[in-house]
Amino acid sequence: MDFGLVLQTDPPASQVVSLMRRAERNGFRYGWTFDSAVLWQEPFVIYSQILEHTQEMHVGPMVTNPGTRTWEVTASTFATLNDMFGNRTVCGIGRGDSAMRVAGRAPNTLARLGEAIGVIRDLAEGREAEVDGKPLRIPWIRDGRLPVWMAAYGPKALALAGQKADGFILQLADPYLTEWMVKSVREAAVEAGRDPAEITICVAAPAYVGEDLAHARDQCRWFGGMVGNHVADLVSRYGEHSSMVPDELTEYVKSRQGYDYSHHGRAGNPSADFVPDEIVDRFCLLGPPEAHVEKLRALRALGVDQFAVYDMHDAKEATIDAYGEHVIPAVNG
């Protein structure tokens, strides 16, 4: 199993780079960041520094979207990083939650997202693609490679990931829901004539190593609030107790009262007060190293290729080091 580290690009950028270097020393192969230009610093600028100061780490957004950047700019930016540092980037992409809503826009449609996946990949790998009715090709690209991994929760999005994406990003670590969603992605791949084994499965969730579960839950409760934004969209689209979406995913958002993006992805987020301990335990990895290893082995058995650690809490360095010393060797040993 591969391991990734997910950070927000809070200033100073040097701290983001330092944590990514620490992660690579501890066996992490991927470095991910949020991508929301108003809330945090510009990630693609920081990626160049991460790539410069690491040896083999692959970097990318978790996730960008097709609405805040034009597609040829996104493709050219990835291709430039690849040309400078080797093909060490991955494009994580989704409909856009914080990046779009903070700017007063609705998330992108799935149709637009599906089109963007193909266009960005083709342009970044040097092929011609149609953008706004005009054929474009970036002429200087040689031997470019850009895997595009799509984040999804709902049935239509899961189907799109199976049909078009190189990888699937699931932002929660509940084995029951992981099994259901991975199955949906793979079935869609088969129906589209693709080999489902070629789709990389990435689960991303907060991890907190330690014996004090109450403190760990409080540090990671924000994640249930972040996931709740997407779940609330599913409930509004499919209704409660829909056969299309498991109750295990939707029940907990009934008491959700809204969301303040100024606290997005941060420990102590008051907008996550509605998230019960049960959801924190199901969605995150908490407890001593042995508990992390047990859950990661269960996820790997379900076909998960990478676990990406959301490291937004008061023990960033300690979590990276604990994974490097105790968790990663045990999972992959």
Side-chain angles (χ1 to χ4, degrees), residues 173-256:
D174 177 69
Y176 175 84
L177 293 170
T178 298
E179 182 176 20
W180 177 77
M181 292 185 184
V182 169
K183 180 181 178 182
S184 297
V185 169
R186 287 177 168 165
E187 287 177 348
V190 171
E191 291 175 3
R194 305 180 66 197
D195 180 357
E198 293 184 356
I199 300 175
T200 303
I201 307 296
C202 175
V203 162
Y208 199 105
V209 182
E211 300 288 347
D212 189 343
L213 284 178
H215 181 72
R217 287 172 181 137
D218 286 343
Q219 287 293 304
C220 298
R221 199 175 307 276
W222 63 265
F223 184 66
M226 186 183 84
V227 174
N229 295 331
H230 305 281
V231 175
D233 284 346
L234 295 178
V235 172
S236 67
R237 186 173 300 117
Y238 298 103
E240 295 183 6
H241 307 298
S242 168
S243 61
M244 301 289 287
V245 184
D247 288 346
E248 288 82 357
L249 181 61
T250 60
E251 279 293 306
Y252 84 100
V253 300
K254 287 183 176 179
S255 56
R256 180 179 180 270

